[in-house]
Coordinates of all heavy atoms in Angstrom, one line a residue:
K5 N 9.4 -28.5 9.5 CA 9.0 -29.5 10.4 C 10.2 -30.0 11.3 O 11.3 -30.1 10.7 CB 8.3 -30.7 9.8 CG 7.1 -30.3 9.1 CD 6.3 -31.6 8.4 CE 5.0 -31.2 7.7 NZ 4.4 -32.5 7.3
K23 N 15.3 -44.7 24.0 CA 15.8 -45.9 23.5 C 15.1 -46.1 22.1 O 13.9 -46.0 22.0 CB 15.4 -47.1 24.5 CG 16.0 -48.5 23.9 CD 15.6 -49.6 24.9 CE 16.0 -50.9 24.3 NZ 15.8 -52.0 25.3
A46 N 16.7 -26.4 -6.7 CA 17.9 -26.4 -7.4 C 18.1 -27.7 -8.2 O 18.5 -27.7 -9.4 CB 19.1 -26.0 -6.6
G64 N 14.8 -45.7 -11.7 CA 14.5 -46.1 -10.3 C 13.2 -45.7 -9.7 O 13.0 -45.6 -8.6
E140 N 36.9 -30.6 0.4 CA 37.9 -30.7 1.4 C 39.3 -30.2 0.9 O 40.1 -29.9 1.7 CB 38.0 -32.2 1.8 CG 36.8 -32.8 2.3 CD 37.0 -34.3 2.6 OE1 37.9 -34.9 2.0 OE2 36.2 -34.8 3.4
E206 N 21.2 -24.2 2.0 CA 20.9 -23.1 2.7 C 19.5 -23.3 3.3 O 19.1 -22.5 4.3 CB 20.8 -21.9 1.8 CG 22.0 -21.5 1.1 CD 22.0 -20.4 0.1 OE1 20.8 -20.1 -0.1 OE2 22.9 -19.9 -0.5
T231 N 16.1 -37.9 -12.0 CA 15.4 -37.2 -13.0 C 16.3 -36.8 -14.2 O 15.7 -36.6 -15.3 CB 14.8 -35.9 -12.4 OG1 15.8 -35.1 -11.8 CG2 13.8 -36.1 -11.4
S232 N 17.5 -36.7 -14.0 CA 18.4 -36.3 -15.2 C 19.1 -37.5 -15.9 O 19.5 -37.4 -17.0 CB 19.5 -35.3 -14.7 OG 20.3 -35.9 -13.9
K252 N 22.0 -43.3 9.3 CA 22.0 -44.6 8.6 C 21.1 -44.5 7.4 O 21.2 -45.3 6.4 CB 21.4 -45.6 9.5 CG 21.7 -47.1 9.2 CD 23.0 -47.5 9.2 CE 23.3 -49.0 8.9 NZ 24.7 -49.4 9.0
I262 N 29.6 -49.1 -1.6 CA 30.7 -49.9 -1.6 C 31.7 -49.3 -0.6 O 31.8 -48.0 -0.4 CB 31.4 -49.7 -3.0 CG1 31.6 -48.4 -3.6 CG2 30.6 -50.6 -4.0 CD1 32.2 -48.2 -4.9
L275 N 37.9 -53.6 -2.0 CA 36.8 -52.8 -2.3 C 35.6 -53.8 -2.3 O 35.5 -54.8 -3.0 CB 36.8 -52.3 -3.7 CG 35.8 -51.3 -4.2 CD1 35.9 -50.0 -3.3 CD2 35.9 -50.9 -5.6
R276 N 34.7 -53.6 -1.2 CA 33.6 -54.5 -1.0 C 32.3 -53.8 -1.4 O 32.1 -52.6 -1.2 CB 33.5 -55.0 0.5 CG 34.7 -55.7 1.0 CD 34.5 -56.1 2.4 NE 35.7 -56.6 3.0 CZ 35.9 -58.0 3.0 NH1 35.1 -58.8 2.4 NH2 37.1 -58.4 3.6
S284 N 25.2 -58.0 -7.5 CA 25.4 -58.9 -6.4 C 26.3 -58.1 -5.4 O 27.1 -57.2 -5.8 CB 26.1 -60.2 -6.8 OG 26.5 -60.9 -5.7
M293 N 48.3 -50.6 -3.4 CA 48.8 -49.2 -3.4 C 50.2 -49.0 -3.7 O 51.0 -49.5 -3.1 CB 48.4 -48.6 -2.0 CG 48.8 -47.1 -1.8 SD 47.8 -46.0 -2.9 CE 46.3 -45.8 -1.9
R299 N 47.0 -50.2 -8.2 CA 47.2 -51.1 -9.3 C 46.1 -52.3 -9.0 O 46.0 -52.8 -7.9 CB 48.5 -51.7 -9.3 CG 48.8 -52.7 -10.5 CD 50.2 -53.2 -10.4 NE 50.4 -54.2 -9.3 CZ 50.1 -55.5 -9.4 NH1 49.6 -56.1 -10.5 NH2 50.3 -56.2 -8.3
I325 N 37.6 -68.1 0.2 CA 36.9 -67.4 -0.8 C 36.3 -66.2 -0.1 O 35.6 -66.2 0.9 CB 35.8 -68.4 -1.3 CG1 36.4 -69.4 -2.2 CG2 34.7 -67.5 -2.1 CD1 35.3 -70.3 -3.0
L381 N 47.5 -64.3 16.5 CA 47.1 -64.7 15.2 C 47.2 -63.6 14.2 O 46.7 -62.4 14.6 CB 45.7 -65.4 15.2 CG 45.3 -66.1 13.9 CD1 46.1 -67.3 13.7 CD2 43.8 -66.3 13.9
N406 N 52.8 -74.1 18.6 CA 52.8 -74.7 20.0 C 54.0 -75.7 20.1 O 54.6 -75.8 21.0 CB 51.5 -75.2 20.4 CG 51.5 -75.6 21.8 OD1 51.9 -74.9 22.7 ND2 50.8 -76.7 22.0
E420 N 35.6 -75.8 7.8 CA 35.0 -75.1 9.0 C 35.0 -76.2 10.2 O 34.7 -77.4 10.0 CB 33.6 -74.7 8.7 CG 32.8 -74.1 10.0 CD 31.4 -73.9 9.7 OE1 30.9 -74.0 8.6 OE2 30.7 -73.5 10.7
N431 N 31.5 -74.4 1.2 CA 31.0 -74.2 -0.2 C 32.1 -74.0 -1.2 O 33.2 -73.7 -0.9 CB 29.9 -73.0 -0.3 CG 30.7 -71.6 0.1 OD1 31.8 -71.7 0.6 ND2 30.0 -70.6 0.0
D466 N 46.7 -83.8 -4.7 CA 46.2 -85.0 -3.8 C 45.2 -84.3 -2.8 O 45.5 -83.5 -2.0 CB 47.4 -85.5 -3.1 CG 47.1 -86.6 -2.1 OD1 46.0 -87.3 -2.3 OD2 47.7 -86.7 -1.0

Side-chain angles (χ1 to χ4, degrees):
K5 296 181 179 179
K23 181 180 180 181
E140 300 178 341
E206 299 174 357
T231 53
S232 66
K252 197 71 174 179
I262 53 180
L275 191 65
R276 299 181 187 270
S284 172
M293 179 65 78
R299 186 183 71 85
I325 286 185
L381 185 72
N406 186 43
E420 178 187 353
N431 59 352
D466 178 28

